[in-house]
Amino acid sequence: MVLTCLGLEGTAHSFGAGVVTSEGEVLANVWDMLSPKEGGIHPREASRHHSELGPGLIAQALQNAGLSPAEIDLIAFSRGPGLGPCLRTTATMARAIALTLSVPLVGVNHCVAHVEIGCLESGFQDPVTVYVSGGNTQIIAFAGGRYRTFGETLDIAIGNMLDTFGRAVGMRFPAGPIVERKAKSGKRFYPLPYSVKGMDLSYSGMLTAAKRLFNEGVSLEDLCFSLQETAFGMLAEIAERAIAHTKKRELLLTGGVARNNRLTEILEGVAERHDAQFHRVSPSLAGDQGAMIAWTGILQYQAGDRLDIPSSHVLPKWRTDEQDIVWRSDL
Ligand code: AMP
Ligand code: MG
């Protein structure tokens, strides 16, 4: 029997609703991102955004999928990691729908969902994943029943670094695409702190140095170019080491920062050097959205995983490697 799952994503500034079938067909995927005119994301404002726009987005997703609520077999929601108020608002909607429709509820790990939607789209079986977004920077690969974090940022995420730099130099949010555009006309490379520690990396030193150089009058184009080359070079180094050690043959790039063409080009080069296939998740599935939650919910449900409402509390600090990947027991 084909199952249809409604997935709700709401870990940070975006709220999304997606509808996916157990055959891997994405029937609907709509979202809205809170983008403050100035400053960063306030968790309370983001959760208010979700509670105000969530019901409309859910209705829109069902309409786009051409389904009535009664045709949904299962509800999945992003249970963590993320901002507590945002997670709780999203979980409350998911519980209410599950109770109203009398359908099972599944809690999905947001980072795991980024990997699984990439595997669905690419057909990859067992990739090394570079997951780069506003809130996360991780190199992930399956080993011993879990998605292990082989490397990650020790401080801020790469998207956060680009956005914070952008804010300091007068760009609007999100700054990532603006930095990418400006970097194209950068000519001179300014050395910035290249901070790789084993398999982990750190972006805060680079951010401080780039802001200082900007205040000293260095051209914005040159700085954007230098920031990208340094930040992406660090990611390439640990991704390459992960591929070399795990001997996996697929490299997957996902998360909001995957929209960057220069990063894609650099990682394509890494994959080529190691005879690995490369896939960049398409823009509509790269950022935070509900389809990835719905699809991962289906995988979990089919493997027997479901949540009782009373124990469906959210997990703001849920790590990628704390979820048993029961649906991949064959690997
Ligand atoms: P997410 O957290 O997955 O919703 O992704 C949002 C993040 O992706 C923000 O930090 C954006 O600045 C970043 N981003 C989006 N497009 C690009 C791009 N072309 N280059 C670099 N970063 C980007
Ligand atoms: Mg994300």
Side-chain angles (χ1 to χ4, degrees):
M1 188 187 98
V2 179
L3 290 172
T4 304
C5 180
L6 170 66
L8 305 186
E9 157 61 37
T11 53
H13 49 24
S14 297
F15 184 88
V19 181
V20 178
T21 71
S22 51
E23 291 177 329
E25 198 184 343
V26 178
L27 300 179
N29 199 20
V30 294
W31 66 87
D32 187 86
M33 183 172 89
L34 172 74
S35 71
K37 291 215 170 46
E38 54 186 57
I41 314 165
H42 192 295
R44 191 183 53 224
E45 278 161 28
S47 70
R48 190 182 308 139
H49 164 269
H50 298 356
S51 61
E52 284 173 5
L53 274 76
L57 287 163
I58 293 166
Q60 184 69 52
L62 289 173
Q63 195 188 336
N64 292 2
L67 297 175
S68 70
E71 289 170 289
I72 294 296
D73 301 306
L74 167 73
I75 306 291
F77 71 103
S78 53
R79 197 179 180 196
L83 305 171
C86 300
L87 292 171
R88 284 190 285 276
T89 300
T90 307
T92 303
M93 284 187 249
R95 289 182 200 116
I97 299 170
L99 284 170
T100 309
L101 299 179
S102 297
V103 294
L105 183 68
V106 178
V108 171
N109 180 297
H110 174 91
C111 307
V112 168
H114 272 292
V115 177
E116 289 299 351
I117 197 72
C119 287
L120 173 67
E121 190 185 54
S122 60
F124 282 0
Q125 297 294 314
D126 188 20
V128 166
T129 301
V130 177
Y131 165 36
V132 278
S133 69
N136 291 285
T137 302
Q138 300 183 350
I139 308 285
I140 303 165
F142 185 83
R146 302 245 173 127
Y147 283 123
R148 308 286 167 181
T149 310
F150 278 77
E152 65 189 316
T153 179
L154 296 172
D155 44 45
I156 54 173
I158 186 166
N160 188 213
M161 184 272 289
L162 294 169
D163 294 334
T164 311
F165 172 75
R167 202 189 313 154
V169 304
M171 293 174 186
R172 56 177 164 65
F173 176 87
I178 309 172
V179 171
E180 175 171 23
R181 210 163 50 240
K182 293 231 177 269
K184 286 206 187 95
S185 28
K187 292 193 177 57
R188 182 166 161 201
F189 179 78
Y190 286 85
L192 294 166
Y194 181 99
S195 187
V196 171
K197 300 166 190 188
M199 287 294 284
D200 294 326
L201 37 79
S202 150
Y203 284 123
S204 62
M206 171 186 305
L207 173 62
T208 308
K211 286 197 285 195
R212 197 190 60 235
L213 286 170
F214 178 77
N215 289 331
E216 287 170 5
V218 169
S219 115
L220 186 54
E221 285 74 14
D222 287 346
L223 269 182
C224 290
F225 169 68
S226 308
L227 256 191
Q228 285 207 153
E229 293 307 304
T230 311
F232 299 164
M234 286 158 53
L235 270 175
E237 179 185 334
I238 60 170
E240 180 149 18
R241 214 175 293 134
I243 287 259
H245 285 308
T246 61
K247 300 192 167 52
K248 295 194 192 278
R249 314 245 50 94
E250 297 156 343
L251 183 62
L252 179 68
L253 173 59
T254 188
V257 183
R259 299 194 179 102
N260 188 290
N261 291 329
R262 178 62 185 141
L263 175 59
T264 302
E265 190 177 83
I266 291 174
L267 291 180
E268 254 168 353
V270 169
E272 216 171 283
R273 280 197 293 285
H274 291 267
D275 268 335
Q277 284 178 273
F278 176 80
H279 181 79
R280 179 233 308 241
V281 174
S282 61
S284 65
L285 296 176
D288 292 349
Q289 30 69 36
M292 68 178 188
I293 302 298
W295 172 240
T296 310
I298 284 177
L299 295 174
Q300 287 179 225
Y301 178 77
Q302 287 179 330
D305 186 356
R306 61 217 64 188
L307 276 179
D308 291 335
I309 302 269
S311 46
S312 64
H313 56 276
V314 301
L315 302 169
K317 295 200 182 301
W318 197 9
R319 290 184 51 85
T320 309
D321 54 13
E322 285 171 344
Q323 164 75 48
D324 279 320
I325 310 299
V326 277
W327 57 95
R328 280 183 177 257
S329 52
D330 50 317
L331 278 176

